[in-house]
Amino acid sequence: MHPEHAPHPPVIRAPQVHRPTPFPPPATAPAPLALVQPDQVPAVASIVLPDGRIVTGYAVHPAQPAAAKPAVSRTAVNVALGGIGFGAVCGGLFLLTAFIAALTAFITQLIILAAVIFGGWIAVQVLGTGGHRGGTTVNIRRAVFKRNHFHG
């Protein structure tokens, strides 16, 4: 193998440590500072990375969850429930109109049936052969037909 193409050994660098630099004191009178409790001051932490570098910084605490907002607003829920109720009412109204149409057809058929039965009863009473109720009786056997004229 040619020496120019030989693999190079990995370069190991010395770890670098970075430390925060404090601010110099102000030349004028310092402004009054609010007192901070020791438990509220974030701690400085250092970690060593796998390649040997050291990283220093403030520890970040997980944020406390705020009051959880519902995934869906109350207005959207109310609108959806109103739509479901309206759909249920429309279905009921459709069934009601179908019931009224069927009842109307049934009553119409009953009226027609009554008219047919009553009309038949009237026809039997008018044209019936049972019993004579007065009037003129014509005996057709004795009648004489001449030239399509009846002479009785």
Side-chain angles (χ1 to χ4, degrees):
M1 181 184 278
H2 197 287
E4 293 177 5
H5 297 296
H8 298 287
V11 178
I12 300 174
R13 297 183 183 170
Q16 296 176 351
V17 178
H18 297 280
R19 291 195 166 74
T21 307
F23 290 115
T28 61
L33 298 175
L35 295 176
V36 178
Q37 299 299 327
D39 60 344
Q40 293 178 347
V41 176
V44 177
S46 297
I47 59 169
V48 179
L49 297 177
D51 62 355
R53 293 183 295 163
I54 298 174
V55 178
T56 304
Y58 292 106
V60 178
H61 300 292
Q64 297 296 328
K69 286 181 65 177
V72 180
S73 70
R74 284 186 160 281
T75 305
V77 170
N78 290 339
V79 169
L81 290 176
I84 291 171
F86 182 73
V89 168
C90 287
L93 289 177
F94 177 73
L95 290 176
L96 182 64
T97 55
F99 173 74
I100 291 173
L103 185 63
T104 305
F106 178 69
I107 291 173
T108 305
Q109 289 178 356
L110 284 181
I111 291 172
I112 292 171
L113 180 64
V116 168
I117 291 174
F118 185 69
W121 182 76
I122 295 285
V124 167
Q125 295 300 318
V126 170
L127 302 175
T129 58
H132 296 289
R133 296 186 182 198
T136 306
T137 302
V138 178
N139 192 349
I140 296 179
R141 290 184 202 151
R142 292 184 184 176
V144 178
F145 290 94
K146 292 185 179 177
R147 293 187 186 149
N148 294 329
H149 292 294
F150 174 74
H151 301 282

